[in-house]
Amino acid sequence: MRRELHFDAVVIGAGTAGLTAGARLAEAGARVAVLTKGVGSTHLAPGTVDVLGYAPERVSEPGRALEDLVRSRVDHPYALVGRGCVVEALQWFGERVAAGPFPGYRYVGGLERNHLLPTAIGALRPSALIPETMAAGDCAAGGASAARVCVVGVRALRDFHPALCAANLERAGVDARSVELNLALDRADQNALGVARRFDDPGWRAWFCAELSPHLRGEERVGLPAMLGSTDPHGVWSDLGRRLGRPVFEIPTLPPSVPGMRLFEVLRSSLRAAGGRLILGAEVVGAERSGERVSSVQAHAAGEERRYLARWVVLATGGFASGAIELDSRWVTRERVLGLPVRGAPGADEPRFVSTYLDEQPLARAGVAVTGDLRAEGVENVLVAGAALPGAAAWREGSGEGIALATGFRAAEVVSEAEGARAGQPGRSEAVV
Amino acid sequence: MSTEAGSGLRDDELPGLLRGSLDHCVKCTICETACPVSNVTPLFPGPKYCGPQAERYRVADEPSVEWSVDYCSGCGICTQVCPQGVKIAEINAQARNKIKREHGVALRDRIITRPTVLGRLGTPVAPVANLSLRLRPARILAEKLLGVHREAPAPRFAGRRFSRWAKRHTSPRTGRKVVYFHGCGTEYYEPWEGEKVVALLEHNGFEVEVPKQDCCGLPLQSSGLFDDARRTVLRLARALAPFVRDDDTIIVGNATSCTLMLKREAREILGLADDPALKRVSERTWDICELLLDLHDRGELRTDFRPVNETIAYHAPCQQQGHFIGKPALDLLALIPGLEVREMTARCCGVAGTYGLKAEKYEIAMKAGDALFTQIRASGAPSVACDSETCRWQITHATGRPSVHPIDYLHRAYGL
């Protein structure tokens, strides 16, 4: 017997784009496998859905800025999917969170206005759709509150320094101060997930609040590193608000990101609920073509590689950061998984990098060349989603999750539409053959 | 250090490729989010510190500089979740082995890692052996003398051996042959599991061959006894390989950690990648659920299932996840009418083969499994399905709920 598996669609990559595409395809009735080398970007990102934060000035109304972007930047991923698709994708995501594995947990906001959320170092970051647990941290004019922010840290938590966070917030014009608790944990050094697991325990929460309460003053709102529970964020966050008698909010931490892990779990369980399969450790190491189609991909497995045959392939492997696109020592840029052509890389005589690290790097907009409906150029049945797409400098724009969600969503729609047309049905089809 | 038959490599020459992977580590901490051990004890600082970071300080021919890696349970989850392909668990297994080579191996670890010997000794005197494994004074003595924790879950000797049943059993001649690797758990403790595997395969048209076979060496490997583990797994590979006569014949096993040993761990951790018999066996070995779901995907699995009106919790053990095949048991169980399956998302039961039996590690293993035990209790499911026997024993020990291999439910639903 050979290890050959047949699917309607194979999605490569299990970040936000891949899981969204996989879940949507499965919901539309397709047999889907999501193949992934390991756990990806979700666990490193803050867990917010940033749609458009800078264009290039800071954006306060992302919906309006998005319309301008779609008109003026025809090569941008948002221009390929359109504003309507972004709206639908956010809506879909919100519903999946509500139906997901965390009772009561929800996201708030949308395209009307950006929240301005404190980062771990006290910068203000614009974001459109955010976990409810972060909402009270909004520092935008007309936002949640103008009350003073009290940034609370725990000494053993690595990479979070409340005094630094509060001082930088002050510099950004936010009334802020800090408290650092020196709580006895069983180790000198702990990450956010380790503390989050303690918050799962009501007894520990009560003790934590008793330790913290004497340090709080007046009408302050309390900003804590994003570590409010690993299994029941809504319950933990609500409980803390009740016990402390004031608004409480999470501030995203350096990795690992607890809210990012929740986002992964929401999308993973949506995929599973619709019957899709997630296959961890299945690094794609080769592909077969027949004519202008990719007919199968080979993926790593213990013992012997497995061959996945599929009518459709969604490439959601990320960009340079994940290693899916590489620049070699001969200055050749290539897509590493399927060997697809890359667009947007600087030419041989143009600079690839600029010396100011945090500025936009010329290489940043490189990605897999696609047609208007996200199909890889020259390949009929491969769709590209997320950071693998060219045309965006997501980390400068504050658009990474928005692009991932919208293009993952759209890639699934393109497949459903094509399969619907193939089956002779008019318009969009809910069933993929 | 000894030179090993089969590999031709010294232990400290093995890890070149594994070690090379550490340069891919970007310190993203994803392995830390998943490690069941470092999340519950400060004694193990975690896969990232002990693996790619500490490895830079480990020099061949110089003594180990610190020992915390001995608290790694070897579950392998870190390698599974790493997005950069760093062989974290494999690097840590090498480091653990180095400590054992320097400082010797406890008598306990030489005993509990030999299921074949234990099985042969215990089977003829099963009632007495089972009683003494459950007698408090005997267990206290075993803890004091050997360091096997008095509370640790001990399996029961069945008192009969699966291979004896298999010898008497004749599989109908269908011409579609499959080689059954049953492992020690089935041989000595749960022979009925093997009988069910055979019945399921025969029900689906296979002619089942059961070669004479011994342990795969995994317990030895996970306790750092690499030389013994190599000898053991190569002996097994040589016993199974002659049965794989053509490209259509496969080996199938229900002991998911033992099939993983054959598929991958012996080749990657013990450095036996080039042994021809092992390579053949490795490539042709399938997990039972992997095979059955594959048959179903091809439209070749019989689906004459009767309803089983029950709710069960399903836990995919770490070693099953190490096959990199997803969770086929979930899709198989979903085929059974009436059966409601709750997928447990907590990753590990803590026991990791023999780790949770050791006196100094028992408490850690119980804490490592606590997230899973809590989920199981909260699921409302009265029983649990899980692919690995040691994990099942640990789950039952911790939750009081019976646990069986997922194929038990298929067997029942077929009415066999």
Side-chain angles (χ1 to χ4, degrees):
Chain A
M1 284 186 68
R2 307 198 177 284
R3 288 183 161 97
E4 282 181 0
L5 297 96
H6 295 257
F7 288 92
D8 296 320
V10 161
V11 179
I12 310 173
T16 303
L19 289 171
T20 299
R24 275 300 288 164
L25 281 163
E27 287 172 4
R31 296 188 66 247
V32 183
V34 177
L35 309 181
T36 180
K37 183 176 175 181
V39 165
S41 57
T42 46
H43 287 42
L44 311 178
T48 55
V49 181
D50 303 359
V51 175
L52 190 58
Y54 296 88
E57 297 307 313
R58 191 153 82 191
V59 168
S60 55
E61 294 173 60
R64 190 175 294 177
L66 194 59
E67 273 173 26
D68 295 341
L69 183 90
V70 165
R71 267 197 304 273
S72 62
R73 291 276 310 284
V74 291
D75 61 334
H76 195 281
Y78 281 140
L80 302 182
V81 302
R83 184 180 181 278
C85 176
V86 179
V87 174
E88 273 184 79
L90 294 188
Q91 166 94 21
W92 173 85
F93 175 72
E95 288 164 9
R96 292 304 165 277
V97 176
F102 307 112
Y105 188 58
R106 61 194 184 98
Y107 273 58
V108 295
L111 290 180
E112 295 72 37
R113 64 172 198 89
N114 271 332
H115 309 84
L116 275 182
L117 302 180
T119 68
I121 57 167
L124 291 175
R125 190 172 58 88
S127 184
L129 188 65
I130 64 172
E132 60 177 353
T133 53
M134 296 184 190
D138 187 12
C139 294
S145 160
R148 173 190 273 183
V149 171
C150 181
V151 182
V152 176
V154 177
R155 200 175 172 85
L157 178 67
R158 68 171 95 124
D159 302 326
F160 189 88
H161 308 285
L164 171 71
C165 180
N168 278 334
L169 284 175
E170 283 275 328
R171 286 171 61 186
V174 177
D175 187 13
R177 67 179 195 98
S178 67
V179 170
E180 186 164 58
L181 298 176
N182 194 4
L183 301 178
L185 300 177
D186 64 0
R187 60 187 92 199
D189 167 274
Q190 182 64 281
N191 66 29
L193 181 62
V195 188
R197 291 199 168 106
R198 304 199 178 235
F199 273 104
D200 292 339
D201 171 10
W204 200 84
R205 291 201 295 271
W207 177 71
F208 178 88
C209 291
E211 292 286 315
L212 176 59
S213 286
H215 298 280
L216 299 175
R217 303 178 198 147
E219 297 295 302
E220 288 174 338
R221 45 185 164 149
V222 175
L224 283 158
M227 54 187 192
L228 299 186
S230 69
T231 55
D232 179 19
H234 176 77
V236 172
W237 169 71
S238 311
D239 186 44
L240 254 67
R242 255 192 319 273
R243 287 178 190 276
L244 296 172
R246 57 186 75 236
V248 171
F249 63 94
E250 290 189 304
I251 301 172
T253 61
L254 268 70
S257 162
V258 173
M261 293 174 70
R262 293 175 201 145
L263 190 149
F264 172 85
E265 200 44 40
V266 164
L267 292 175
R268 189 206 64 81
S269 67
S270 303
L271 171 72
R272 186 61 221 166
R277 299 182 192 170
L278 174 66
I279 305 183
L280 197 63
E283 179 184 5
V284 174
V285 291
E288 285 175 324
R289 298 241 190 156
S290 76
E292 302 212 317
R293 302 174 67 80
V294 167
S295 51
S296 73
V297 298
Q298 281 102 264
H300 181 61
E304 187 182 47
E305 283 168 9
R306 307 214 299 177
R307 202 158 150 250
Y308 292 83
L309 293 93
R311 297 181 39 74
W312 295 91
V313 176
V314 178
L315 184 78
T317 45
F320 283 103
S322 66
I325 298 176
E326 71 174 7
L327 172 72
D328 72 14
S329 57
R330 294 181 183 81
W331 298 95
V332 177
T333 310
R334 66 168 67 83
E335 186 275 309
R336 288 178 61 205
V337 179
L338 300 175
L340 300 171
V342 171
R343 177 205 292 164
D349 49 348
E350 293 170 315
R352 270 95 172 165
F353 303 104
V354 293
S355 57
T356 36
Y357 183 72
L358 292 176
D359 277 351
E360 185 178 327
Q361 297 293 336
L363 207 57
R365 288 180 196 272
V368 178
V370 289
T371 59
D373 58 357
L374 303 180
R375 285 183 212 228
E377 272 181 9
V379 195
E380 286 170 9
N381 67 332
V382 174
L383 296 147
V384 184
L389 286 165
W395 73 285
R396 292 288 299 177
E397 297 167 1
S399 61
E401 293 80 11
I403 291 173
L405 199 55
T407 57
F409 188 87
R410 178 68 192 141
E413 269 195 337
V414 171
V415 171
S416 297
E417 284 165 13
E419 291 289 333
R422 184 168 156 265
Q425 295 161 10
R428 276 182 204 171
S429 164
E430 275 302 297
V432 176
V433 192
Chain B
M1 295 302 103
S2 63
T3 300
E4 189 50 53
S7 73
L9 288 172
R10 287 187 348 180
D11 273 351
D12 48 10
E13 290 173 335
L14 294 179
L17 275 174
L18 303 178
R19 205 164 194 256
S21 74
L22 72 84
D23 284 334
H24 293 275
C25 176
V26 297
K27 319 296 175 206
C28 72
T29 71
I30 283 174
C31 58
E32 291 187 349
T33 67
C35 177
V37 179
S38 66
N39 280 310
V40 297
T41 175
L43 294 171
F44 182 54
K48 178 169 74 84
Y49 282 136
C50 273
Q53 282 172 212
E55 183 63 19
R56 295 186 190 281
Y57 298 94
R58 296 190 187 113
V59 181
D61 301 324
E62 288 193 22
S64 301
V65 288
E66 68 89 55
W67 293 16
S68 64
V69 72
D70 188 46
Y71 278 95
C72 162
S73 75
C75 72
I77 293 175
C78 45
T79 297
Q80 294 162 27
V81 298
C82 176
Q84 304 296 339
V86 183
K87 300 283 185 185
I88 312 165
E90 291 77 3
I91 288 171
N92 285 339
Q94 300 292 338
R96 236 180 3 260
N97 172 248
K98 188 178 179 193
I99 293 172
K100 305 282 164 159
R101 279 186 282 128
E102 290 165 359
H103 301 277
V105 175
L107 175 64
R108 174 209 47 208
D109 294 3
R110 294 189 181 278
I111 295 173
I112 62 172
T113 54
R114 287 179 165 74
T116 313
V117 176
L118 294 174
R120 287 200 182 127
L121 290 174
T123 298
V125 292
V128 179
N130 288 333
L131 184 66
S132 52
L133 283 173
R134 273 150 191 85
L135 274 182
R136 188 103 185 136
R139 291 299 300 266
I140 292 173
L141 198 66
E143 182 178 301
K144 299 247 189 264
L145 289 178
L146 288 175
V148 176
H149 197 280
R150 65 185 71 175
E151 305 288 344
R156 271 174 194 278
F157 292 105
R160 60 188 169 96
R161 290 171 62 169
F162 170 72
S163 57
R164 300 282 151 82
W165 176 89
K167 209 176 273 177
R168 290 193 308 273
H169 176 80
T170 310
S171 204
R173 304 246 171 273
T174 63
R176 190 177 193 191
K177 288 192 175 173
V178 64
V179 182
Y180 177 33
F181 163 52
H182 50 74
C184 308
T186 301
E187 174 73 353
Y188 299 108
Y189 304 114
E190 300 177 339
W192 52 86
E193 292 291 341
E195 292 161 26
K196 286 175 186 170
V197 169
V198 171
L200 278 175
L201 290 168
E202 288 176 354
H203 187 65
N204 282 288
F206 285 99
E207 182 178 334
V208 185
E209 290 187 286
V210 187
K212 191 170 166 359
Q213 53 191 272
D214 270 334
C215 179
C216 66
L218 173 61
L220 292 162
Q221 184 245 96
S222 68
S223 284
L225 290 145
F226 279 18
D227 285 350
D228 292 343
R230 282 192 197 104
R231 264 191 292 278
T232 308
V233 74
L234 288 177
R235 190 166 55 227
L236 175 63
R238 304 222 157 106
L240 297 176
F243 287 82
V244 188
R245 295 177 195 93
D246 52 54
D247 281 350
D248 276 337
T249 310
I250 63 163
I251 301 166
V252 64
N254 56 313
T256 199
S257 52
C258 308
T259 50
L260 185 65
M261 178 71 176
L262 285 178
K263 278 184 173 186
R264 182 159 69 89
E265 295 202 342
R267 297 174 72 187
E268 290 189 6
I269 295 178
L270 299 178
L272 297 173
D274 298 328
D275 183 85
L278 180 62
K279 183 169 187 291
R280 179 129 181 98
V281 167
S282 167
E283 289 171 353
R284 307 310 297 154
T285 296
W286 293 56
D287 174 83
I288 181 74
C289 290
E290 175 188 15
L291 173 66
L292 296 176
L293 184 62
D294 189 79
L295 291 173
H296 180 258
D297 287 352
R298 292 162 197 257
E300 295 173 12
L301 186 80
R302 288 180 60 170
T303 52
D304 47 339
F305 296 118
R306 306 172 185 175
V308 175
N309 295 311
E310 269 186 41
T311 300
I312 58 168
Y314 171 70
H315 167 59
C318 314
Q319 297 277 318
Q320 188 281 332
Q321 286 292 281
H323 287 251
F324 301 153
I325 56 174
K327 298 183 178 178
L330 270 184
D331 294 287
L332 279 173
L333 293 170
L335 301 174
I336 301 174
L339 189 67
E340 192 180 329
V341 185
R342 309 242 157 103
E343 179 187 4
M344 300 294 101
T345 54
R347 286 177 190 275
C348 183
C349 73
V351 81
T354 55
Y355 181 89
L357 310 183
K358 300 173 181 172
E360 74 282 12
K361 287 160 184 153
Y362 170 83
E363 296 291 345
I364 297 172
M366 291 298 284
K367 273 203 244 171
D370 192 55
L372 175 65
F373 309 146
T374 305
Q375 268 190 9
I376 289 172
R377 287 191 204 99
S379 73
S383 58
V384 184
C386 169
D387 312 64
S388 153
E389 56 276 291
T390 52
C391 305
R392 291 199 291 274
W393 300 335
Q394 168 87 340
I395 288 168
T396 298
H397 168 64
T399 65
R401 284 166 172 72
S403 54
V404 295
H405 195 288
I407 56 134
D408 275 47
Y409 284 93
L410 295 169
H411 185 265
R412 267 174 68 189
Y414 276 135
L416 295 171

